[in-house]
Coordinates of all heavy atoms in Angstrom, one line a residue:
M1332 N 3.2 -56.0 26.8 CA 2.4 -54.8 27.1 C 1.6 -54.5 25.9 O 2.0 -54.5 24.7 CB 3.4 -53.7 27.4 CG 2.7 -52.4 27.8 SD 3.9 -51.4 28.7 CE 2.9 -50.0 28.9
T1333 N 0.3 -54.2 26.1 CA -0.6 -53.9 25.1 C -0.5 -52.5 24.6 O -0.1 -51.6 25.3 CB -2.1 -54.2 25.5 OG1 -2.3 -53.3 26.6 CG2 -2.3 -55.6 25.9
P1334 N -0.9 -52.2 23.3 CA -0.8 -50.9 22.8 C -1.8 -50.0 23.6 O -2.7 -50.4 24.2 CB -1.2 -51.0 21.3 CG -1.2 -52.4 21.0 CD -1.2 -53.2 22.3
W1335 N -1.6 -48.7 23.4 CA -2.4 -47.7 24.2 C -3.9 -47.8 24.0 O -4.6 -47.8 24.9 CB -1.8 -46.3 23.9 CG -2.6 -45.2 24.6 CD1 -2.5 -44.9 25.9 CD2 -3.6 -44.4 24.0 NE1 -3.4 -43.9 26.2 CE2 -4.1 -43.6 25.1 CE3 -4.2 -44.2 22.8 CZ2 -5.0 -42.6 24.9 CZ3 -5.1 -43.3 22.6 CH2 -5.6 -42.5 23.7
P1336 N -4.4 -47.8 22.7 CA -5.9 -47.9 22.6 C -6.5 -49.1 23.2 O -7.6 -49.0 23.8 CB -6.1 -47.9 21.1 CG -4.8 -47.4 20.5 CD -3.8 -47.8 21.4
L1337 N -5.8 -50.2 23.2 CA -6.4 -51.4 23.8 C -6.4 -51.3 25.3 O -7.4 -51.8 26.0 CB -5.6 -52.7 23.4 CG -5.6 -53.0 21.9 CD1 -4.7 -54.2 21.6 CD2 -7.1 -53.3 21.5
R1338 N -5.4 -50.7 25.9 CA -5.4 -50.5 27.4 C -6.6 -49.6 27.8 O -7.2 -49.8 28.8 CB -4.1 -49.9 27.8 CG -3.0 -50.9 28.0 CD -1.8 -50.3 28.6 NE -1.1 -49.5 27.5 CZ -0.3 -48.5 27.7 NH1 -0.1 -48.0 28.9 NH2 0.2 -47.9 26.7
T1339 N -6.9 -48.5 27.0 CA -8.0 -47.6 27.4 C -9.3 -48.3 27.3 O -10.2 -48.1 28.1 CB -7.9 -46.3 26.6 OG1 -8.0 -46.7 25.2 CG2 -6.7 -45.5 26.9
R1340 N -9.5 -49.2 26.3 CA -10.7 -49.9 26.1 C -10.9 -50.9 27.3 O -12.0 -51.0 27.8 CB -10.7 -50.7 24.8 CG -11.2 -49.8 23.7 CD -11.4 -50.6 22.4 NE -10.7 -49.9 21.3 CZ -10.0 -50.5 20.4 NH1 -9.9 -51.8 20.3 NH2 -9.5 -49.8 19.5
K1341 N -9.8 -51.5 27.7 CA -10.0 -52.4 28.8 C -10.4 -51.7 30.1 O -11.2 -52.1 30.8 CB -8.6 -53.2 29.1 CG -8.4 -54.3 28.2 CD -7.1 -55.0 28.7 CE -6.8 -56.2 27.9 NZ -5.6 -56.9 28.3
L1342 N -9.8 -50.5 30.3 CA -10.1 -49.7 31.5 C -11.5 -49.2 31.4 O -12.3 -49.2 32.4 CB -9.1 -48.5 31.6 CG -7.7 -48.9 32.0 CD1 -6.9 -47.6 32.0 CD2 -7.7 -49.5 33.4
A1343 N -12.0 -48.8 30.2 CA -13.3 -48.3 30.1 C -14.3 -49.4 30.3 O -15.4 -49.2 30.8 CB -13.5 -47.6 28.7
A1344 N -14.0 -50.6 29.8 CA -14.9 -51.7 29.9 C -15.0 -52.2 31.3 O -16.1 -52.7 31.8 CB -14.5 -52.8 29.0
S1345 N -14.0 -52.1 32.1 CA -14.0 -52.6 33.4 C -14.6 -51.7 34.4 O -14.9 -52.1 35.5 CB -12.5 -53.0 33.9 OG -11.8 -51.8 34.0
S1346 N -14.6 -50.4 34.1 CA -15.2 -49.4 35.1 C -16.7 -49.5 35.1 O -17.3 -49.5 34.0 CB -14.7 -48.0 34.8 OG -15.3 -47.6 33.6
S1347 N -17.3 -49.6 36.2 CA -18.8 -49.8 36.3 C -19.5 -48.5 36.5 O -20.7 -48.4 36.2 CB -19.1 -50.7 37.5 OG -18.7 -50.1 38.7
S1348 N -18.8 -47.4 36.9 CA -19.4 -46.1 37.1 C -19.3 -45.3 35.8 O -18.3 -45.3 35.1 CB -18.8 -45.4 38.3 OG -17.5 -45.1 37.9
R1349 N -20.4 -44.6 35.5 CA -20.4 -43.8 34.3 C -20.5 -42.4 34.7 O -21.1 -42.0 35.7 CB -21.6 -44.1 33.4 CG -21.6 -45.5 32.8 CD -22.8 -45.8 32.0 NE -22.8 -47.1 31.5 CZ -22.7 -47.4 30.2 NH1 -22.6 -46.5 29.3 NH2 -22.7 -48.7 29.9
I1350 N -19.9 -41.5 33.9 CA -19.9 -40.1 34.2 C -20.9 -39.4 33.2 O -20.7 -39.5 32.0 CB -18.5 -39.5 34.0 CG1 -17.5 -40.2 35.0 CG2 -18.5 -38.0 34.3 CD1 -16.1 -39.8 34.9
Y1351 N -21.9 -38.7 33.8 CA -22.8 -38.0 33.0 C -22.6 -36.5 33.2 O -22.4 -36.1 34.3 CB -24.3 -38.4 33.3 CG -24.6 -39.8 33.0 CD1 -24.7 -40.8 33.9 CD2 -24.8 -40.2 31.7 CE1 -25.0 -42.1 33.6 CE2 -25.2 -41.4 31.3 CZ -25.3 -42.4 32.3 OH -25.6 -43.7 32.0
T1352 N -22.8 -35.7 32.1 CA -22.8 -34.3 32.3 C -24.2 -33.8 32.2 O -25.2 -34.5 31.9 CB -22.0 -33.7 31.1 OG1 -22.6 -34.0 29.9 CG2 -20.6 -34.2 31.1
A1353 N -24.4 -32.5 32.5 CA -25.7 -31.9 32.5 C -26.3 -31.8 31.1 O -27.5 -31.7 30.9 CB -25.6 -30.5 33.1
L1354 N -25.5 -32.0 30.1 CA -26.0 -31.9 28.7 C -26.7 -33.2 28.3 O -27.6 -33.2 27.4 CB -24.8 -31.7 27.7 CG -24.0 -30.4 27.9 CD1 -22.9 -30.4 26.9 CD2 -24.9 -29.3 27.6
F1355 N -26.5 -34.3 29.0 CA -27.1 -35.6 28.6 C -28.2 -36.0 29.6 O -28.9 -36.9 29.4 CB -26.1 -36.7 28.5 CG -25.0 -36.4 27.5 CD1 -23.7 -36.2 27.9 CD2 -25.4 -36.3 26.2 CE1 -22.7 -36.0 26.9 CE2 -24.4 -36.1 25.2 CZ -23.1 -35.9 25.6
N1356 N -28.4 -35.2 30.7 CA -29.4 -35.5 31.6 C -30.3 -34.3 31.7 O -29.9 -33.2 32.1 CB -28.8 -35.8 33.0 CG -29.8 -36.3 34.0 OD1 -31.0 -36.3 33.7 ND2 -29.3 -36.7 35.2
F1357 N -31.6 -34.5 31.2 CA -32.5 -33.3 31.0 C -32.8 -32.6 32.3 O -32.8 -31.4 32.4 CB -33.8 -33.8 30.4 CG -34.7 -32.7 30.0 CD1 -34.3 -31.8 29.0 CD2 -35.9 -32.5 30.7 CE1 -35.2 -30.7 28.7 CE2 -36.7 -31.5 30.4 CZ -36.4 -30.6 29.4
Q1358 N -33.0 -33.4 33.4 CA -33.3 -32.8 34.7 C -32.1 -31.9 35.2 O -32.2 -30.9 35.7 CB -33.6 -33.8 35.7 CG -34.1 -33.3 37.1 CD -34.5 -34.4 38.0 OE1 -34.4 -35.6 37.7 NE2 -35.0 -34.0 39.2
S1359 N -30.9 -32.4 35.0 CA -29.7 -31.7 35.4 C -29.5 -30.4 34.5 O -29.1 -29.4 35.0 CB -28.4 -32.5 35.3 OG -28.5 -33.6 36.2
L1360 N -29.8 -30.5 33.3 CA -29.7 -29.4 32.4 C -30.7 -28.3 32.8 O -30.4 -27.1 32.9 CB -30.0 -29.8 30.9 CG -30.0 -28.7 29.9 CD1 -28.6 -28.1 29.8 CD2 -30.5 -29.2 28.6
L1361 N -31.9 -28.7 33.2 CA -32.9 -27.7 33.7 C -32.4 -27.1 35.0 O -32.6 -25.9 35.2 CB -34.3 -28.4 33.9 CG -35.0 -28.7 32.7 CD1 -36.3 -29.4 33.0 CD2 -35.3 -27.5 31.8
L1362 N -31.8 -27.9 35.8 CA -31.3 -27.4 37.1 C -30.2 -26.3 36.9 O -30.1 -25.3 37.5 CB -30.8 -28.5 38.0 CG -30.2 -28.1 39.4 CD1 -31.4 -27.6 40.2 CD2 -29.6 -29.3 40.0
V1363 N -29.3 -26.6 35.9 CA -28.2 -25.7 35.6 C -28.8 -24.4 35.1 O -28.3 -23.3 35.5 CB -27.2 -26.4 34.6 CG1 -26.3 -25.3 34.0 CG2 -26.4 -27.5 35.3
I1364 N -29.8 -24.5 34.2 CA -30.4 -23.2 33.6 C -31.1 -22.5 34.7 O -30.9 -21.2 34.8 CB -31.3 -23.6 32.5 CG1 -30.5 -24.1 31.3 CG2 -32.2 -22.4 32.1 CD1 -31.4 -24.7 30.2
L1365 N -31.8 -23.1 35.6 CA -32.4 -22.5 36.7 C -31.5 -21.8 37.7 O -31.7 -20.7 38.1 CB -33.3 -23.5 37.5 CG -34.2 -23.0 38.5 CD1 -35.3 -22.1 37.9 CD2 -34.9 -24.1 39.2
L1366 N -30.4 -22.5 38.0 CA -29.4 -21.9 38.8 C -28.7 -20.7 38.2 O -28.3 -19.7 38.8 CB -28.3 -22.9 39.2 CG -28.8 -23.9 40.3 CD1 -27.8 -25.0 40.5 CD2 -29.2 -23.3 41.6
L1367 N -28.5 -20.8 36.8 CA -27.9 -19.7 36.1 C -28.8 -18.4 36.2 O -28.3 -17.3 36.4 CB -27.6 -20.1 34.6 CG -27.1 -19.0 33.7 CD1 -25.7 -18.6 34.1 CD2 -27.2 -19.4 32.3
V1368 N -30.1 -18.6 36.0 CA -31.1 -17.5 36.0 C -31.1 -16.9 37.4 O -31.1 -15.7 37.6 CB -32.5 -18.0 35.6 CG1 -33.5 -17.0 35.9 CG2 -32.5 -18.3 34.1
C1369 N -31.1 -17.7 38.5 CA -31.1 -17.2 39.8 C -29.9 -16.5 40.2 O -29.9 -15.4 40.8 CB -31.4 -18.4 40.8 SG -33.0 -19.1 40.7
T1370 N -28.7 -17.0 39.8 CA -27.4 -16.4 40.1 C -27.3 -15.1 39.4 O -26.9 -14.1 40.0 CB -26.3 -17.3 39.7 OG1 -26.4 -18.6 40.4 CG2 -25.0 -16.7 40.0
C1371 N -27.7 -15.0 38.1 CA -27.6 -13.8 37.3 C -28.6 -12.7 37.9 O -28.2 -11.5 38.0 CB -28.0 -14.0 35.9 SG -26.7 -14.9 35.0
A1372 N -29.8 -13.1 38.3 CA -30.7 -12.1 39.0 C -30.1 -11.6 40.3 O -30.2 -10.4 40.6 CB -32.0 -12.8 39.2
Y1373 N -29.5 -12.5 41.0 CA -28.9 -12.0 42.3 C -27.7 -11.1 42.1 O -27.6 -10.0 42.7 CB -28.4 -13.2 43.1 CG -27.8 -12.9 44.4 CD1 -28.5 -12.4 45.5 CD2 -26.4 -12.9 44.6 CE1 -27.9 -12.1 46.7 CE2 -25.8 -12.5 45.8 CZ -26.6 -12.1 46.8 OH -26.0 -11.8 48.0
V1374 N -26.8 -11.4 41.1 CA -25.7 -10.6 40.8 C -26.1 -9.2 40.3 O -25.6 -8.2 40.6 CB -24.7 -11.3 39.8 CG1 -23.7 -10.3 39.3 CG2 -24.0 -12.5 40.5
H1375 N -27.2 -9.2 39.5 CA -27.7 -8.0 38.9 C -28.3 -7.1 40.0 O -28.2 -5.9 39.9 CB -28.7 -8.3 37.8 CG -29.1 -7.0 37.0 ND1 -30.3 -6.4 37.3 CD2 -28.5 -6.4 36.1 CE1 -30.3 -5.3 36.5 NE2 -29.2 -5.3 35.7
S1376 N -28.9 -7.7 41.0 CA -29.5 -6.9 42.1 C -28.4 -6.3 43.0 O -28.6 -5.2 43.5 CB -30.5 -7.7 42.9 OG -29.8 -8.7 43.6
M1377 N -27.3 -7.0 43.1 CA -26.2 -6.5 44.0 C -25.3 -5.5 43.2 O -24.9 -4.5 43.7 CB -25.4 -7.7 44.5 CG -26.1 -8.5 45.5 SD -26.3 -7.6 47.0 CE -27.9 -8.3 47.5
F1378 N -24.9 -5.9 42.0 CA -24.0 -5.1 41.2 C -24.6 -4.9 39.8 O -24.2 -5.6 38.8 CB -22.6 -5.8 41.1 CG -22.1 -6.2 42.4 CD1 -22.1 -7.5 42.7 CD2 -21.5 -5.3 43.2 CE1 -21.5 -7.9 44.0 CE2 -21.0 -5.7 44.4 CZ -21.0 -7.0 44.8
P1379 N -25.5 -4.0 39.6 CA -26.2 -3.8 38.3 C -25.3 -3.4 37.2 O -25.5 -3.7 36.0 CB -27.3 -2.8 38.6 CG -27.0 -2.2 39.9 CD -26.1 -3.1 40.6
A1380 N -24.2 -2.6 37.5 CA -23.4 -2.1 36.5 C -22.6 -3.2 35.7 O -22.3 -3.1 34.5 CB -22.4 -1.1 37.0
I1381 N -22.3 -4.3 36.4 CA -21.6 -5.4 35.8 C -22.3 -6.0 34.6 O -21.8 -6.2 33.5 CB -21.2 -6.5 36.8 CG1 -20.3 -5.9 37.9 CG2 -20.7 -7.7 36.1 CD1 -20.0 -6.9 39.0
L1382 N -23.6 -6.3 34.8 CA -24.4 -6.9 33.7 C -25.0 -5.9 32.8 O -25.2 -6.2 31.6 CB -25.5 -7.7 34.3 CG -25.0 -9.0 35.1 CD1 -26.2 -9.7 35.7 CD2 -24.2 -9.9 34.2
D1383 N -25.2 -4.6 33.2 CA -25.8 -3.7 32.3 C -24.9 -3.2 31.2 O -25.3 -2.8 30.1 CB -26.3 -2.4 33.1 CG -27.5 -2.7 33.9 OD1 -28.2 -3.7 33.5 OD2 -27.9 -2.0 34.8
R1384 N -23.6 -3.2 31.4 CA -22.7 -2.8 30.4 C -22.4 -3.9 29.3 O -21.8 -3.7 28.3 CB -21.4 -2.3 31.0 CG -20.5 -3.3 31.6 CD -19.2 -2.8 32.1 NE -18.5 -3.7 33.0 CZ -18.1 -3.5 34.2 NH1 -18.2 -2.3 34.7 NH2 -17.5 -4.4 34.9
N1385 N -22.9 -5.1 29.6 CA -22.6 -6.2 28.7 C -24.0 -6.8 28.2 O -24.3 -7.9 28.4 CB -21.9 -7.4 29.4 CG -20.5 -6.9 29.8 OD1 -19.8 -6.3 29.0 ND2 -20.1 -7.3 31.0
K1386 N -24.8 -5.9 27.5 CA -26.1 -6.4 27.1 C -26.0 -7.1 25.7 O -26.9 -7.8 25.3 CB -27.0 -5.2 27.0 CG -27.4 -4.6 28.3 CD -28.4 -3.5 28.1 CE -28.8 -2.9 29.5 NZ -29.7 -1.8 29.3
D1387 N -24.9 -6.9 25.0 CA -24.8 -7.5 23.7 C -23.7 -8.5 23.6 O -22.8 -8.6 24.5 CB -24.5 -6.4 22.6 CG -25.6 -5.3 22.5 OD1 -26.7 -5.7 22.6 OD2 -25.2 -4.2 22.3
G1388 N -23.8 -9.4 22.7 CA -22.7 -10.4 22.5 C -23.0 -11.6 23.4 O -24.1 -11.9 23.9
V1389 N -21.9 -12.4 23.6 CA -22.0 -13.6 24.4 C -22.3 -13.3 25.8 O -23.1 -14.0 26.5 CB -20.7 -14.4 24.2 CG1 -20.7 -15.7 25.1 CG2 -20.5 -14.8 22.8
R1390 N -21.7 -12.3 26.4 CA -22.0 -11.9 27.8 C -23.4 -11.4 28.0 O -23.8 -11.3 29.1 CB -20.9 -10.9 28.2 CG -19.6 -11.5 28.4 CD -18.6 -10.5 29.0 NE -17.4 -10.5 28.1 CZ -16.5 -9.5 28.2 NH1 -16.7 -8.5 29.0 NH2 -15.5 -9.6 27.4
G1391 N -24.1 -11.0 26.9 CA -25.4 -10.6 27.0 C -26.4 -11.7 27.5 O -27.5 -11.4 28.0
I1392 N -25.9 -12.9 27.4 CA -26.8 -14.0 27.9 C -27.0 -13.9 29.4 O -28.1 -14.2 29.9 CB -26.1 -15.4 27.5 CG1 -26.1 -15.6 26.0 CG2 -26.8 -16.5 28.2 CD1 -25.2 -16.7 25.6
F1393 N -26.0 -13.5 30.1 CA -26.1 -13.3 31.6 C -27.1 -12.2 31.9 O -27.9 -12.3 32.8 CB -24.8 -13.0 32.2 CG -23.8 -14.2 32.0 CD1 -22.6 -13.9 31.3 CD2 -24.1 -15.4 32.4 CE1 -21.7 -15.0 31.1 CE2 -23.2 -16.5 32.2 CZ -22.0 -16.2 31.5
W1394 N -27.1 -11.1 31.1 CA -28.0 -10.0 31.3 C -29.4 -10.5 31.0 O -30.4 -10.1 31.7 CB -27.6 -8.8 30.4 CG -28.6 -7.7 30.5 CD1 -28.5 -6.7 31.5 CD2 -29.7 -7.3 29.7 NE1 -29.6 -5.8 31.3 CE2 -30.3 -6.2 30.2 CE3 -30.2 -7.9 28.6 CZ2 -31.4 -5.6 29.6 CZ3 -31.3 -7.3 28.0 CH2 -31.9 -6.2 28.5
K1395 N -29.6 -11.3 30.0 CA -30.9 -11.8 29.6 C -31.4 -12.7 30.7 O -32.6 -12.7 31.0 CB -30.9 -12.5 28.3 CG -30.7 -11.5 27.1 CD -30.4 -12.2 25.8 CE -30.1 -11.2 24.8 NZ -29.6 -11.8 23.5
C1396 N -30.5 -13.6 31.2 CA -30.9 -14.5 32.3 C -31.3 -13.7 33.6 O -32.3 -14.0 34.3 CB -29.8 -15.4 32.7 SG -29.5 -16.7 31.5
A1397 N -30.6 -12.6 33.8 CA -31.0 -11.7 35.0 C -32.4 -11.1 34.7 O -33.2 -11.0 35.7 CB -29.9 -10.6 35.2
R1398 N -32.6 -10.6 33.5 CA -33.9 -10.0 33.2 C -35.0 -11.1 33.4 O -36.1 -10.7 33.9 CB -33.9 -9.5 31.8 CG -35.0 -8.7 31.4 CD -35.2 -7.4 32.2 NE -34.0 -6.6 32.1 CZ -33.7 -5.6 32.8 NH1 -34.6 -5.2 33.7 NH2 -32.6 -4.9 32.7
I1399 N -34.8 -12.3 32.9 CA -35.8 -13.3 33.1 C -36.0 -13.6 34.6 O -37.2 -13.7 35.0 CB -35.3 -14.6 32.4 CG1 -35.4 -14.4 30.9 CG2 -36.2 -15.8 32.8 CD1 -34.7 -15.5 30.1
G1400 N -35.0 -13.7 35.4 CA -35.1 -13.9 36.8 C -35.8 -12.8 37.5 O -36.6 -13.0 38.5
E1401 N -35.7 -11.5 37.1 CA -36.4 -10.4 37.7 C -37.8 -10.4 37.3 O -38.7 -10.1 38.2 CB -35.7 -9.1 37.3 CG -34.3 -8.9 37.9 CD -33.6 -7.8 37.3 OE1 -34.1 -7.2 36.3 OE2 -32.4 -7.5 37.7
R1402 N -38.1 -10.6 36.1 CA -39.5 -10.4 35.6 C -40.4 -11.6 35.9 O -41.6 -11.5 36.1 CB -39.5 -10.1 34.1 CG -38.9 -8.8 33.8 CD -39.1 -8.4 32.4 NE -38.5 -7.1 32.1 CZ -38.4 -6.6 30.9 NH1 -38.8 -7.2 29.9 NH2 -37.9 -5.4 30.8
L1403 N -39.8 -12.8 35.9 CA -40.6 -14.0 36.2 C -40.2 -14.6 37.5 O -40.3 -15.8 37.7 CB -40.3 -15.0 35.1 CG -40.7 -14.6 33.6 CD1 -40.2 -15.7 32.6 CD2 -42.1 -14.4 33.5
S1404 N -40.0 -13.8 38.5 CA -39.5 -14.3 39.8 C -40.5 -15.2 40.5 O -40.1 -16.2 41.1 CB -39.1 -13.2 40.7 OG -40.2 -12.3 40.9
P1405 N -41.8 -15.0 40.4 CA -42.7 -16.0 41.0 C -42.6 -17.4 40.4 O -42.6 -18.4 41.1 CB -44.1 -15.4 40.9 CG -43.9 -14.0 40.6 CD -42.6 -13.9 39.9
Y1406 N -42.5 -17.4 39.1 CA -42.4 -18.7 38.3 C -41.1 -19.3 38.6 O -41.0 -20.6 38.7 CB -42.7 -18.5 36.9 CG -44.1 -17.9 36.6 CD1 -44.2 -16.6 36.1 CD2 -45.2 -18.7 36.8 CE1 -45.5 -16.1 35.9 CE2 -46.4 -18.2 36.5 CZ -46.6 -16.9 36.1 OH -47.8 -16.4 35.8
I1407 N -40.0 -18.5 38.6 CA -38.7 -19.1 38.9 C -38.6 -19.7 40.3 O -38.1 -20.8 40.5 CB -37.6 -18.0 38.7 CG1 -37.6 -17.5 37.3 CG2 -36.2 -18.5 39.1 CD1 -37.1 -18.5 36.3
S1408 N -39.2 -19.0 41.3 CA -39.2 -19.6 42.6 C -40.0 -20.8 42.7 O -39.7 -21.8 43.4 CB -39.7 -18.5 43.6 OG -41.0 -18.2 43.3
L1409 N -41.1 -20.9 42.0 CA -41.9 -22.1 41.9 C -41.1 -23.2 41.3 O -41.2 -24.4 41.8 CB -43.2 -21.9 41.2 CG -44.2 -23.0 41.1 CD1 -44.7 -23.4 42.4 CD2 -45.3 -22.7 40.1
C1410 N -40.4 -22.9 40.3 CA -39.5 -24.0 39.6 C -38.4 -24.4 40.6 O -38.1 -25.6 40.6 CB -38.9 -23.4 38.4 SG -40.1 -23.2 37.0
C1411 N -37.9 -23.5 41.4 CA -36.9 -23.9 42.4 C -37.5 -24.9 43.4 O -36.8 -25.9 43.7 CB -36.3 -22.7 43.1 SG -35.2 -21.7 42.1
V1412 N -38.7 -24.6 43.8 CA -39.3 -25.5 44.8 C -39.6 -26.9 44.2 O -39.3 -27.9 44.8 CB -40.6 -24.9 45.4 CG1 -41.4 -25.8 46.2 CG2 -40.3 -23.6 46.2
V1413 N -40.1 -26.9 43.0 CA -40.4 -28.2 42.3 C -39.1 -28.9 42.1 O -39.1 -30.2 42.3 CB -41.1 -27.9 40.9 CG1 -41.2 -29.1 40.1 CG2 -42.5 -27.3 41.2
M1414 N -38.0 -28.3 41.7 CA -36.8 -29.0 41.4 C -36.2 -29.5 42.8 O -35.6 -30.6 42.8 CB -35.7 -28.1 40.8 CG -36.0 -27.8 39.3 SD -36.0 -29.2 38.3 CE -34.3 -29.5 38.1
A1415 N -36.4 -28.8 43.8 CA -35.9 -29.2 45.1 C -36.7 -30.5 45.6 O -36.1 -31.5 46.1 CB -36.0 -28.1 46.2
I1416 N -38.0 -30.5 45.4 CA -38.8 -31.6 45.8 C -38.4 -32.8 44.9 O -38.3 -34.0 45.4 CB -40.3 -31.3 45.7 CG1 -40.6 -30.3 46.8 CG2 -41.1 -32.5 45.8 CD1 -42.0 -29.7 46.6
S1417 N -38.2 -32.6 43.6 CA -37.9 -33.7 42.7 C -36.5 -34.3 43.0 O -36.3 -35.5 42.9 CB -38.0 -33.3 41.3 OG -36.9 -32.4 40.9
M1418 N -35.6 -33.5 43.5 CA -34.2 -34.0 43.9 C -34.3 -34.8 45.1 O -33.6 -35.8 45.3 CB -33.3 -32.8 44.1 CG -32.9 -32.1 42.8 SD -31.9 -33.2 41.8 CE -31.7 -32.2 40.4
V1419 N -35.2 -34.4 46.1 CA -35.4 -35.2 47.3 C -36.0 -36.5 47.0 O -35.6 -37.6 47.6 CB -36.2 -34.4 48.3 CG1 -36.6 -35.3 49.5 CG2 -35.4 -33.2 48.8
I1420 N -37.0 -36.5 46.1 CA -37.7 -37.8 45.8 C -36.8 -38.8 45.0 O -36.8 -40.0 45.3 CB -38.9 -37.5 44.9 CG1 -40.0 -36.8 45.8 CG2 -39.5 -38.7 44.3 CD1 -41.2 -36.3 45.0
N1421 N -36.0 -38.2 44.1 CA -35.1 -39.1 43.4 C -33.9 -39.4 44.2 O -33.1 -40.2 44.3 CB -34.6 -38.5 42.1 CG -35.8 -38.4 41.1 OD1 -36.7 -39.3 41.2 ND2 -35.8 -37.5 40.2

């Protein structure tokens, strides 16, 4: 029986499929950011108190994303359409 590190190298070398995250694929990263902005804007329109009380700190990122989604909504919707078309083409 081979030691543990050698077994994992054999398994990794024999697998043909690779796993990519959104951090390493630029188009997926843009899609995640776009979905975050759209989701935050929707949540803020339904429940404004949730995001309004967390304007500072790490949770303030969601409030800022909601603000971007509200103020730049024509551009955000245009980006959604462009991303949808690019996903269909690829």
Side-chain angles (χ1 to χ4, degrees):
M1332 187 159 170
T1333 58
W1335 179 75
L1337 295 177
R1338 278 186 282 154
T1339 56
R1340 277 190 227 139
K1341 279 185 177 179
L1342 290 174
S1345 66
S1346 65
S1347 62
S1348 65
R1349 295 180 183 244
I1350 299 172
Y1351 292 105
T1352 62
L1354 298 176
F1355 299 116
N1356 188 352
F1357 186 68
Q1358 186 176 5
S1359 296
L1360 179 66
L1361 289 178
L1362 182 66
V1363 167
I1364 292 170
L1365 188 62
L1366 288 174
L1367 177 70
V1368 168
C1369 292
T1370 303
C1371 289
Y1373 178 76
V1374 168
H1375 189 259
S1376 68
M1377 292 292 147
F1378 309 105
I1381 292 174
L1382 293 177
D1383 284 341
R1384 67 176 170 231
N1385 296 318
K1386 291 183 182 179
D1387 298 324
V1389 177
R1390 289 186 232 165
I1392 294 171
F1393 300 119
W1394 180 81
K1395 291 172 187 171
C1396 287
R1398 190 62 57 191
I1399 290 169
E1401 291 169 356
R1402 292 186 180 175
L1403 299 175
S1404 60
Y1406 299 110
I1407 296 295
S1408 62
L1409 181 67
C1410 288
C1411 287
V1412 170
V1413 169
M1414 288 298 282
I1416 291 171
S1417 70
M1418 290 292 175
V1419 169
I1420 291 173
N1421 289 333

